[in-house]
Amino acid sequence: DFGHAGGHYNPEGVGHGFLDEGGYHVGDMPNLHIPESGELTLEILNHQLVLDDRLFDGDGAAIMIHAGPDDYTSDPAGAAGARIACGAISRG
């Protein structure tokens, strides 16, 4: 279930989702719309994310894909369902 990846990256301690009036987690990302072919290429700009020691702390960092769409409001994971893919983020 990729539970070892931990929770959303939220160093500022704000709410979840782009529709949250108080702001959103630094780790929040937009929904992905995967075509029937299953192949997707995309580029996402996250101007709040800084690749610094807060991200690369002792427990590491990862990117997570959930099974369903994020509702952009429910805390902490947007009611997006099960975790279905995970990738480690490491320093170059």
Side-chain angles (χ1 to χ4, degrees):
D1 69 356
F2 303 109
H4 59 281
H8 278 207
Y9 183 56
N10 187 14
E12 306 304 327
V14 298
H16 168 81
F18 297 122
L19 302 179
D20 188 296
E21 292 179 9
Y24 52 90
H25 297 170
V26 171
D28 284 343
M29 294 175 51
N31 287 321
L32 305 176
H33 301 277
I34 312 298
E36 285 189 35
S37 69
E39 295 181 26
L40 178 70
T41 301
L42 75 147
E43 182 175 313
I44 296 173
L45 173 63
N46 185 334
H47 68 278
Q48 290 185 303
L49 181 63
V50 178
L51 304 178
D52 62 8
D53 290 339
R54 290 192 315 171
L55 180 66
F56 295 114
D57 59 6
D59 66 357
I63 186 167
M64 187 68 57
I65 306 295
H66 292 262
D70 189 318
D71 66 11
Y72 296 140
T73 58
S74 300
D75 204 10
R83 296 173 170 196
I84 61 170
C86 179
I89 301 173
S90 60
R91 293 182 191 237

